[in-house]
Amino acid sequence: IVAASGYSVSISEEVESALADLSGVDLAVVNIGCPRPDRPPEALEPVTVGLTAHLTSGGGLLGVQVSSTSLTTMPTWPAVLGGPWVRGTSMHPPQDIVDVYLTRAPYPILTDLTDFEVLDERYSYLELEPDVAVLGEHVYDGRRHPILWAHHHLGGRVVYDALGHDLRSYDSAGHVRFVQRSVAWL
């Protein structure tokens, strides 16, 4: 989606070294899971330095789906992303077709977008930082749960998209439009 939007894309599976040096990068897209065993906090110090420099210089960050479960030993990750997956509290029901309800948050990402349906997991009971603007929610267990959000952090822009478990999530035109708009804003 990023490349189709006209941007040059480079993909790295060397997560820590890529995030430690984001010089020349306008937008970092993080789509990573939580390694087992957890990385020692000192191993993630270069990542903290790199992300801080990137965001402080006005760079953008798009966190995708399982990234909320990652970098658990990096103390600043919840503030950077806008909220983490909380072990023992956060969960998702089985993958299914779900309605995503967009909010009226004053972000240009949402201009002219409408609620959409998507086949995906529904991350629920995530813990949000107080400065995030919820952009989209789903309903589970009789309660609305944030699934898309944005905020400014250290001078940079951040969007978290809890959708994207597999390619079928991107069969949803509404989800693709949300990602396209997020990339443009970031």
Side-chain angles (χ1 to χ4, degrees):
I1 294 171
V2 176
S5 296
Y7 300 98
S8 174
V9 175
S10 174
I11 298 171
S12 175
E13 292 188 17
E14 301 300 322
V15 174
E16 292 168 8
S17 61
L19 292 175
D21 181 10
L22 292 167
S23 55
V25 173
D26 295 320
L27 170 63
V29 179
V30 178
N31 188 5
I32 57 174
C34 183
R36 297 280 187 227
D38 287 343
R39 301 286 292 135
E42 58 274 8
L44 296 178
E45 287 174 11
V47 173
T48 301
V49 171
L51 281 173
T52 298
H54 176 69
L55 292 168
T56 301
S57 68
L61 174 70
L62 173 60
V64 180
Q65 218 250 349
V66 73
S67 295
S68 64
T69 71
S70 64
L71 304 174
T72 57
T73 57
M74 186 176 129
T76 59
W77 184 239
V80 169
L81 191 62
W85 173 281
V86 181
R87 290 182 188 168
T89 300
S90 300
M91 54 78 69
H92 63 80
Q95 192 169 359
D96 199 359
I97 295 174
V98 63
D99 291 316
V100 175
Y101 302 101
L102 300 178
T103 68
R104 298 183 187 271
Y107 276 75
I109 296 167
L110 298 177
T111 304
D112 299 326
L113 292 184
T114 57
D115 299 343
F116 58 90
E117 186 177 86
V118 63
L119 173 61
D120 215 319
E121 293 178 336
R122 294 172 284 164
Y123 280 14
S124 304
Y125 305 101
L126 298 171
E127 186 176 284
L128 273 63
E129 295 290 311
D131 67 332
V132 303
V134 175
L135 305 180
E137 303 169 310
H138 72 93
V139 176
Y140 173 69
D141 206 18
R143 176 180 164 188
R144 285 188 174 254
H145 296 270
I147 201 162
L148 308 167
W149 64 71
H151 72 127
H152 291 84
H153 187 72
L154 300 174
R157 295 177 175 183
V158 178
V159 171
Y160 175 65
D161 176 357
L163 302 170
H165 176 71
D166 61 32
L167 289 176
R168 295 175 293 177
S169 180
Y170 301 102
D171 289 339
S172 167
H175 186 203
V176 170
R177 281 192 298 275
F178 177 82
V179 173
Q180 290 168 329
R181 288 289 189 78
S182 296
V183 167
W185 181 74
L186 290 165

